[in-house]
Amino acid sequence: MMHHEQVVIHTGERSGLPVMVAIHSTALGPAAGGLRLWHYPDWRDGLADALRLSAAMTAKFAVAGLPGGGGKTVVVLPGRGELDPRRRRDVLRDVADVIASLGGRYATGPDVGTGPDDMALIGETTPYVFCRPARLGGSGDSSPHTARGSLAALRAVGRRLYGTASMKGLRLAVMGLGRVGAGLARLLAAEGAALTVTDIDPAGRGIADELGALWCPPDGILAADVDILVPAALGSVLTAQTVPELRCRAVVGPANNQLASPDVADLLHHRGIVWVPDHVVSAGGVINAVSTELHRVGADRAQARVLAIGTTVDELLDTAHRHGRTPARAAEELALRRLRGASAPAGSPAPRGRTWEI
């Protein structure tokens, strides 16, 4: 699925930094994806990230059955330090110009290094932005919706493995207590789940105490004896070396890029461990934001779309079981079927300035 419709690399007129927008697909509808401001060893590493992440967004929308495609914006930052406020504004305005020039084929939202206030600034130039602050009429922080969507996925797996959607009494290990992980842990605790939690930040112990959860050192959480492991932090935690250590029946969590390589899904399958693709589990935040801010649907309908993640997981698990394949393969085939059933619209003009299209 790494065949992109359009990739624009534009040197910002204010910042002088490369602004890269990768539009993977608009076959199902206009593309959307986050804006990542990050330090890379080389600009080509940033481009590779944009290409990979935009393709993942296409899969996320297609599997969720939403009218949208995948895109991504990456700005490669210089050095290792933080941008001063003026330089940051320059970067964001350069990004806004590029997005505006795409004429609605792509909208952006927060990602690594950006947040709702940044989207507000971009929104002064172009309407093709989501997750603006709630005070400005946007959907604000996406993490509660990501947590609720993750809970819906966990319920579906609970039904499959234990015959009940209730989390009460199930043993879950939550790996990462950031905004999404902590929110999800609170939802699980409220349902009576027996939690083991960890985070690289020792301050996470406070959340463990709040929830009555067992604290585990970060280097021991993968081997915790639990029913379901819930990755909610960094990616690439599932490797050929770590899969044999797992003592769970399923891995279901919102952390992005959990597999170190695609073949790890097969290793999990061979061990009888259910792994639901992270782009399915983590879709709640972007589903809510795009639904409310770009599709202009009401809050109730947007939440129904988020909770439908559970139905999607049910269907993927049914398909995987029926055909003897991994849920990852079932999700990939579902996305491809939906994309092949649609036709992509024509391209649009590239932005002015020093621009290359690939």
Side-chain angles (χ1 to χ4, degrees), residues 158-185:
R159 280 191 296 268
R160 170 74 48 172
L161 296 180
Y162 303 105
T164 176
S166 173
M167 296 290 104
K168 186 174 182 179
L170 287 186
R171 300 169 302 153
L172 293 100
V174 179
M175 185 179 185
L177 295 172
R179 287 183 297 179
V180 174
L184 179 55

Side-chain angles (χ1 to χ4, degrees), residues 335-354:
L336 288 173
R337 281 198 305 274
R338 288 177 172 166
L339 289 166
R340 286 168 180 162
S343 57
S348 60
R352 295 186 301 273
R354 285 184 286 163

Side-chain angles (χ1 to χ4, degrees), residues 82-104:
E82 295 292 325
L83 294 173
D84 63 59
R86 181 176 178 178
R87 189 84 187 280
R88 185 181 184 86
R89 285 193 299 272
D90 286 346
V91 169
L92 295 171
R93 294 197 184 283
D94 286 339
V95 169
D97 287 346
V98 176
I99 293 169
S101 73
L102 294 170

Side-chain angles (χ1 to χ4, degrees), residues 14-358:
R14 302 169 186 82
S15 67
L17 297 179
V19 177
M20 294 177 279
V21 176
I23 298 176
H24 179 257
S25 173
T26 57
L28 297 173
L35 164 60
R36 178 167 294 197
L37 304 184
W38 195 243
H39 302 276
Y40 293 89
D42 186 89
W43 70 268
R44 285 172 285 259
D45 297 308
L47 175 60
D49 224 7
L51 295 173
R52 176 178 57 84
L53 293 167
S54 58
M57 285 298 297
T58 292
K60 182 174 290 193
F61 283 124
V63 172
L66 292 182
K72 201 73 178 181
T73 306
V74 169
V75 178
V76 178
L77 300 181
R80 301 299 304 173
E82 295 292 325
L83 294 173
D84 63 59
R86 181 176 178 178
R87 189 84 187 280
R88 185 181 184 86
R89 285 193 299 272
D90 286 346
V91 169
L92 295 171
R93 294 197 184 283
D94 286 339
V95 169
D97 287 346
V98 176
I99 293 169
S101 73
L102 294 170
R105 295 193 72 219
Y106 166 75
T108 200
D111 194 76
V112 174
T114 58
D117 287 338
D118 299 316
M119 300 307 108
L121 194 152
I122 293 173
E124 295 175 2
T125 299
T126 174
Y128 302 112
V129 64
F130 55 92
C131 282
R132 291 169 298 128
R135 69 180 186 276
L136 299 177
S139 59
D141 183 9
S142 64
S143 61
H145 308 287
T146 304
R148 280 192 281 272
S150 299
L151 178 60
L154 285 162
R155 290 186 188 282
V157 173
R159 280 191 296 268
R160 170 74 48 172
L161 296 180
Y162 303 105
T164 176
S166 173
M167 296 290 104
K168 186 174 182 179
L170 287 186
R171 300 169 302 153
L172 293 100
V174 179
M175 185 179 185
L177 295 172
R179 287 183 297 179
V180 174
L184 179 55
R186 291 187 174 98
L187 292 175
L188 293 169
E191 293 211 358
L195 296 180
T196 300
V197 301
T198 194
D199 195 275
I200 58 173
D201 184 354
R205 284 181 177 269
I207 297 173
D209 293 340
E210 169 198 334
L211 302 178
L214 178 66
W215 176 263
C216 179
D219 60 0
I221 195 75
L222 288 173
D225 186 6
V226 294
D227 298 308
I228 304 176
L229 175 68
V230 184
L234 299 175
S236 299
V237 296
L238 300 173
T239 69
Q241 292 71 41
T242 60
V243 166
E245 300 176 10
L246 299 179
R247 301 169 67 193
C248 57
R249 292 189 63 187
V251 180
V252 185
N256 291 319
N257 304 314
Q258 293 167 22
L259 305 184
S261 58
D263 61 300
V264 175
D266 295 318
L267 299 179
L268 291 162
H269 183 66
H270 292 324
R271 284 208 57 200
I273 297 172
V274 174
W275 179 71
V276 180
D278 43 64
H279 65 78
V280 178
V281 179
S282 67
V286 72
I287 287 174
N288 179 77
V290 169
S291 295
T292 57
E293 296 190 66
L294 299 182
H295 300 164
R296 301 298 181 185
V297 306
D300 289 345
R301 187 176 171 194
Q303 279 307 292
R305 288 181 172 183
V306 171
L307 297 180
I309 289 172
T311 303
T312 299
V313 173
D314 277 329
E315 293 171 352
L316 291 177
L317 294 179
D318 282 341
T319 300
H321 178 73
R322 191 164 58 248
H323 297 287
R325 60 193 57 169
T326 66
R329 182 64 183 273
E332 180 182 358
E333 291 174 349
L334 174 59
L336 288 173
R337 281 198 305 274
R338 288 177 172 166
L339 289 166
R340 286 168 180 162
S343 57
S348 60
R352 295 186 301 273
R354 285 184 286 163
T355 302
W356 298 263
E357 292 206 25
I358 300 173

